[in-house]
Amino acid sequence: MKNKIVVAEPMSTAFNFLEDIRQRGYEPVILEAYIPEGYARRLMDEERKNKYARIKYPITLLKENPNYATTLREVRDLDPLLVLVGGEEGVIIGTRLADDLGLTGNPFSNIPKMTRKSVMHRTLKEAGLRYIHGKEVSSCEDCLLFLEETGMEDVALKHDHGVASVGVHLIHGKEELLTAFRQEKSSENMFGEDENPLLLQERIFGDEYVVNTVSRNGVPALTSVFRYHKKQTPSGYIVYRGLETVMELDRKETQLVEYAFRAVKALGITDGPVHGEYMIDENGPVLIEANCRVMGGSAPAGFLDKVFGYHETDVVLDSMLDGDFHNDFLKNPYRPLRKGYVKDFYSDRDKTISSSGIVPILRNMESFYSGWVENARKTDHIRETIDLETETGCVYLVHDDPETTKREFDLLMLIEETYPDLLYSDTSLFIPPEDGAALTPEIMDILKRDTETLISDIISFYKNGAKGNPIIPEKLMNATPYNREIMDILKNISGVSFKSPQ
């Protein structure tokens, strides 16, 4: 009996495949995708190191050989039941192997439609679906000609084969376009590929969504829908601020899902997951890009189980193992169990930090499930966030009461935007009084205290009923309205209600 299931690059959320495979009585095999030496390789090696440290059982590990025939022979010798695509880096090699071995998967001939944004949109156009106007550009002259021909000023420049918003620029006007083009023309994409075509597209303004699907025998089924929260930084980069689960599909979101199903079929994706990113504007839904793998973000299986009653990798695995399972799943209405949020943190500039208050803040939130944050225990420096790879944290929030989850997500958004020193700081948490005579030894001691420890103590004080002398004296709280606002936020996290500062 065939017992091995190969996962091509089981990173990010696709790491959940490994335990899902074991729970069904099969043996998971890791196939690492080949990535040339460079920035992308260093990032992937670090993620592999972190993920592999969590594996507590013996596991077979293969490395993709640049000579495809060698890789094909090594995988064929395993006689696998399936070859699954894991992370984005595994899409090409995983699809090719499954096709050549006659296993369930997508035709390898469709890889350009599945990985190249320019081909995706040409395919949608040929299918009579809404698409985004664009052009591959290789020179500044190409860029200026596109603006002249289309009459556009607002455009998007991106890698034709890219991931995680790396190298994406939303641009207004010629000068911004030429600056972005020159920057990206000399940059490698996230796959370390020698040929690195750039794509220039019209910019779509609207609400951005994620629609995740799993297909079997050419029929897509809906697994989840999320709405994005993003923003443009002063440097011009578009960064993720978070995601929220769409609980019920309204009219426009129903149209979005119907469009997503048609797009998946048009791209020739017959078997497996699609993480699709879409925009809805006044003209309706349109595909931004399709990613033929499960959603990223390293979402924990347990978090997704609490939100949806299942997690994506187990639905994908069961669908690929059994077409009848997919048929049954297809009949189920889309009904998430709980409202879930993903909060992505960003930094608006390079920062030196000495301490962080985010850990005790999260620890005392009712909806906090899990996640990671950069803090003083790990690093004394964080980079400006320019894409998903440089975000400073990602946490998952879910609670039986949707209002609790929303309130705590909104509070984290407020803190990040208005009071960033609560998250990462190299200065005192509080602003000292202007009058030097007010700097008592007690206040001086507080101003010197470690942010994380100080926040932990303040929250504990209020959670325990605010008995005894307050940790922060009134003279310091009254020194500036900012200090009072910080205390009000910490009281709120402790369960003491207050009106959020505007």
Side-chain angles (χ1 to χ4, degrees), residues 10-133:
M11 294 296 103
S12 191
T13 306
F15 185 77
N16 295 334
F17 271 131
L18 302 182
E19 189 56 34
D20 292 336
I21 291 168
R22 280 169 49 85
Q23 287 181 2
R24 285 154 180 77
Y26 299 103
E27 179 185 339
V29 176
I30 293 174
L31 172 63
E32 289 185 356
Y34 172 75
I35 302 172
E37 290 290 342
Y39 173 69
R41 172 68 174 275
R42 291 192 294 274
L43 284 178
M44 182 54 69
D45 284 346
E46 183 64 25
E47 183 175 6
R48 288 166 176 163
K49 177 182 175 182
N50 292 335
K51 286 288 197 293
Y52 293 168
R54 293 162 51 188
I55 299 175
K56 305 303 181 184
Y57 49 84
I59 190 166
T60 302
L61 190 153
L62 301 178
K63 295 179 181 290
E64 179 188 356
N65 193 297
N67 182 340
Y68 174 70
T70 300
T71 304
L72 177 61
R73 183 176 63 253
E74 291 177 345
V75 174
R76 179 182 280 127
D77 288 346
L78 294 174
D79 193 23
L81 179 61
L82 291 172
V83 175
L84 299 175
V85 167
E88 189 71 33
E89 295 78 7
V91 170
I92 293 177
I93 184 62
T95 302
R96 187 175 184 182
L97 286 168
D99 197 18
D100 284 350
L101 293 172
L103 304 177
T104 302
N106 293 300
F108 184 65
S109 58
N110 282 344
I111 274 292
K113 299 177 185 178
M114 297 162 58
T115 59
R116 298 285 175 179
K117 299 176 183 65
S118 58
V119 183
M120 286 178 198
H121 287 278
R122 284 200 297 271
T123 303
L124 295 181
K125 179 181 179 181
E126 292 167 0
L129 297 176
R130 187 181 176 195
Y131 67 99
I132 298 179
H133 298 270

Side-chain angles (χ1 to χ4, degrees), residues 6-7 37 58 60 66 74 94 100 137 139 148 192 195 209 235 267 279 285 336 360 372 412 415 419 435 467 469:
V6 177
V7 186
E37 290 290 342
T60 302
E74 291 177 345
D100 284 350
V137 290
S139 67
E148 181 181 338
E195 293 188 10
Y209 287 82
S235 301
L267 295 175
M279 195 80 81
W372 65 274
L412 288 175
I415 290 171
Y419 309 98
D435 181 6
K467 298 176 182 177
N469 294 325

Side-chain angles (χ1 to χ4, degrees), residues 129-148:
L129 297 176
R130 187 181 176 195
Y131 67 99
I132 298 179
H133 298 270
K135 177 182 179 180
E136 291 184 45
V137 290
S138 58
S139 67
C140 291
E141 289 73 22
D142 287 345
C143 295
L144 296 177
L145 183 59
F146 181 80
L147 296 187
E148 181 181 338

Side-chain angles (χ1 to χ4, degrees), residues 371-435:
W372 65 274
V373 289
E374 294 288 4
N375 58 69
R377 298 173 184 170
K378 299 179 181 178
T379 181
D380 59 3
H381 182 267
I382 54 177
R383 290 178 53 193
E384 176 187 5
T385 302
I386 62 174
D387 49 39
L388 197 59
E389 295 297 331
T390 51
E391 68 178 11
T392 60
C394 178
V395 300
Y396 303 90
L397 308 175
V398 63
H399 192 273
D400 289 341
D401 176 17
E403 291 303 316
T404 296
T405 320
K406 183 180 188 307
R407 183 181 68 250
E408 295 186 340
F409 176 78
D410 288 345
L411 184 57
L412 288 175
M413 296 279 274
L414 171 72
I415 290 171
E416 179 180 55
E417 197 70 15
T418 312
Y419 309 98
D421 280 353
L422 274 171
L423 304 180
Y424 316 104
S425 179
D426 61 353
T427 61
S428 169
L429 178 62
F430 295 101
I431 297 174
E434 291 185 4
D435 181 6

Side-chain angles (χ1 to χ4, degrees), residues 249-274:
L249 304 178
D250 62 18
R251 182 183 59 82
K252 70 175 184 178
E253 289 159 354
T254 298
Q255 293 174 346
L256 166 66
V257 172
E258 291 171 350
Y259 170 87
F261 284 176
R262 293 196 296 271
V264 167
K265 291 178 180 179
L267 295 175
I269 300 162
T270 60
D271 294 272
V274 172

Side-chain angles (χ1 to χ4, degrees), residues 141-431:
E141 289 73 22
D142 287 345
C143 295
L144 296 177
L145 183 59
F146 181 80
L147 296 187
E148 181 181 338
E149 290 175 343
T150 61
M152 296 176 184
E153 288 190 296
D154 293 297
V155 292
L157 181 73
K158 57 186 70 173
H159 296 275
D160 196 28
H161 187 202
V163 65
S165 74
V166 175
V168 175
H169 298 261
L170 300 185
I171 295 159
H172 179 80
K174 296 180 181 179
E175 294 305 316
E176 288 185 14
L177 173 56
L178 294 179
T179 298
F181 175 81
R182 293 185 183 110
Q183 175 182 330
E184 294 305 325
K185 186 61 178 173
S186 59
S187 302
E188 66 180 64
N189 69 2
M190 288 301 292
F191 307 97
E193 295 169 327
D194 292 332
E195 293 188 10
N196 183 23
L198 296 175
L199 178 64
L200 190 57
Q201 293 179 311
E202 65 172 316
R203 183 174 174 184
I204 307 296
F205 294 89
D207 298 321
E208 191 168 354
Y209 287 82
V210 166
V211 179
N212 293 313
T213 61
V214 57
S215 294
R216 190 73 165 89
N217 297 319
V219 180
L222 180 65
T223 55
S224 58
V225 183
F226 291 86
R227 185 182 296 110
Y228 268 124
H229 295 265
K230 290 186 176 182
K231 72 166 291 181
Q232 187 162 3
T233 67
S235 301
Y237 296 103
I238 304 300
V239 297
Y240 294 80
R241 296 203 66 200
L243 285 162
E244 64 174 297
T245 312
V246 174
M247 300 297 288
E248 295 182 5
L249 304 178
D250 62 18
R251 182 183 59 82
K252 70 175 184 178
E253 289 159 354
T254 298
Q255 293 174 346
L256 166 66
V257 172
E258 291 171 350
Y259 170 87
F261 284 176
R262 293 196 296 271
V264 167
K265 291 178 180 179
L267 295 175
I269 300 162
T270 60
D271 294 272
V274 172
H275 166 61
E277 301 188 354
Y278 299 83
M279 195 80 81
I280 300 178
D281 64 7
E282 59 186 12
N283 296 315
V286 64
L287 177 74
I288 303 300
E289 62 181 77
N291 304 280
C292 298
R293 38 83 177 170
V294 295
M295 182 174 173
S298 293
F303 166 76
L304 296 173
D305 287 339
K306 286 179 72 70
V307 174
F308 296 104
Y310 53 80
H311 55 279
E312 193 178 5
T313 53
D314 69 342
V315 174
V316 171
L317 177 59
D318 287 336
S319 294
M320 299 291 274
L321 287 169
D322 183 0
D324 289 338
F325 171 89
H326 183 269
N327 289 334
D328 291 339
F329 183 81
L330 192 62
K331 298 172 186 175
N332 296 331
Y334 175 74
R335 287 200 187 115
L337 303 178
R338 299 174 182 86
K339 184 80 171 181
Y341 287 86
V342 181
K343 178 68 190 89
D344 298 281
F345 292 101
Y346 78 98
S347 174
D348 60 359
R349 64 187 186 279
D350 288 357
K351 292 181 182 179
T352 299
I353 62 173
S354 58
S355 189
S356 169
I358 186 60
V359 173
I361 288 172
L362 291 172
R363 192 183 294 129
N364 284 280
M365 285 188 157
E366 294 179 74
S367 65
F368 175 65
Y369 181 85
S370 69
W372 65 274
V373 289
E374 294 288 4
N375 58 69
R377 298 173 184 170
K378 299 179 181 178
T379 181
D380 59 3
H381 182 267
I382 54 177
R383 290 178 53 193
E384 176 187 5
T385 302
I386 62 174
D387 49 39
L388 197 59
E389 295 297 331
T390 51
E391 68 178 11
T392 60
C394 178
V395 300
Y396 303 90
L397 308 175
V398 63
H399 192 273
D400 289 341
D401 176 17
E403 291 303 316
T404 296
T405 320
K406 183 180 188 307
R407 183 181 68 250
E408 295 186 340
F409 176 78
D410 288 345
L411 184 57
L412 288 175
M413 296 279 274
L414 171 72
I415 290 171
E416 179 180 55
E417 197 70 15
T418 312
Y419 309 98
D421 280 353
L422 274 171
L423 304 180
Y424 316 104
S425 179
D426 61 353
T427 61
S428 169
L429 178 62
F430 295 101
I431 297 174

